[in-house]
Amino acid sequence: MEETIGFFSEYKHISVITHVFSVIVGMGSALVSDVLFNIYIKDKKINIHEDKTLNILSKIIWFSLFFIFMSGLALFLSDPVKYSYSAKFLIKMTVVIVIIVNGYMFQKVVHPALRKINFSDTNTHHKYVKLRKLSFAFGAVSLSSWLLAFILGMLPSIPFSYTASLLLYLFILLGGIVFSQIVEYKLTHNRK
């Protein structure tokens, strides 16, 4: 075990650079994806070219998440005792897990029907209304989580325990989801 820790400690700077770069690329792609999504729905539908663009950005995000996870694991292995007790590291890894689960759920639940969703018609089939609302909620979770992961990556430490950080994160997510549903409602009902 000491040899493993020694190896990862010696190359820790590579893990840190990879980790920070991957967070920047992933967060940037997620932000661009969210901005483009909001631009694309101005005409009430996602067309095939817009869907392809969002799909490319999604692949970049998944690629970034892979490197975030692997570099995070390498960082952990460079000093397991330190990182096991680091509230900042633990909450950041929790955020990354939420990003992964959220992205997976979006890909499985919403993305296959994205081009069928009408973003202005309140009389659309109930299934698509639900998917439209979910698309906004998934976007809010993604945006909130990526921004928090970036902020956590830039801070040297945080003044909260893991439990307090988790509660704050859940509060941020809940606020983001509520806000997303307000935006979805206003966009839908103001586009007739």
Side-chain angles (χ1 to χ4, degrees):
M1 184 69 176
E2 286 182 23
E3 290 177 12
T4 304
I5 293 171
F7 174 81
F8 285 106
S9 292
E10 185 177 344
Y11 296 103
K12 183 177 180 178
H13 62 284
I14 294 172
S15 299
V16 170
I17 291 168
T18 303
H19 197 71
V20 171
F21 182 74
S22 298
V23 169
I24 291 169
V25 170
M27 183 192 71
S29 299
L31 289 174
V32 169
S33 180
D34 285 348
V35 168
L36 287 178
F37 177 80
N38 284 297
I39 291 169
Y40 292 164
I41 64 170
K42 286 189 182 201
D43 65 356
K44 304 169 189 146
K45 285 280 210 182
I46 301 289
N47 68 39
I48 191 166
H49 301 294
E50 294 164 345
D51 188 39
K52 283 183 182 178
T53 302
L54 293 173
N55 203 27
I56 290 168
L57 288 167
S58 177
K59 287 178 182 172
I60 293 169
I61 293 167
W62 282 111
F63 191 68
S64 298
L65 281 168
F66 172 78
F67 281 101
I68 289 168
F69 181 79
M70 296 308 289
S71 59
L73 181 61
L75 284 171
F76 178 80
L77 292 174
S78 72
D79 193 346
V81 174
K82 172 188 168 188
Y83 288 111
S84 293
Y85 293 99
S86 168
K88 175 191 158 188
F89 182 80
L90 295 173
I91 195 66
K92 189 172 175 192
M93 289 302 105
T94 301
V95 169
V96 169
I97 290 168
V98 169
I99 291 170
I100 291 168
V101 171
N102 184 67
Y104 177 80
M105 294 300 293
F106 176 82
Q107 290 288 36
K108 290 294 176 189
V109 176
V110 176
H111 193 260
L114 197 58
R115 290 195 352 235
K116 296 175 186 170
I117 299 172
N118 187 324
F119 287 92
S120 69
D121 187 1
T122 55
N123 296 319
T124 301
H125 186 275
H126 178 71
K127 171 185 172 184
Y128 294 118
V129 171
K130 186 177 178 182
L131 289 174
R132 182 177 63 217
K133 289 177 182 294
L134 278 173
S135 72
F136 278 83
F138 284 131
V141 170
S142 173
L143 182 62
S144 302
S145 298
W146 276 108
L147 288 172
L148 185 59
F150 178 73
I151 291 167
L152 287 168
M154 297 299 109
L155 294 174
S157 63
I158 58 172
F160 308 110
S161 67
Y162 174 75
T163 304
S165 300
L166 183 60
L167 289 173
L168 181 60
Y169 176 48
L170 293 174
F171 180 75
I172 290 168
L173 288 181
L174 181 61
I177 291 169
V178 169
F179 182 73
S180 77
Q181 297 310 294
I182 293 168
V183 169
E184 185 275 335
Y185 179 85
K186 287 189 175 282
L187 286 173
T188 301
H189 289 76
N190 289 336
R191 288 193 173 168
K192 289 190 169 186

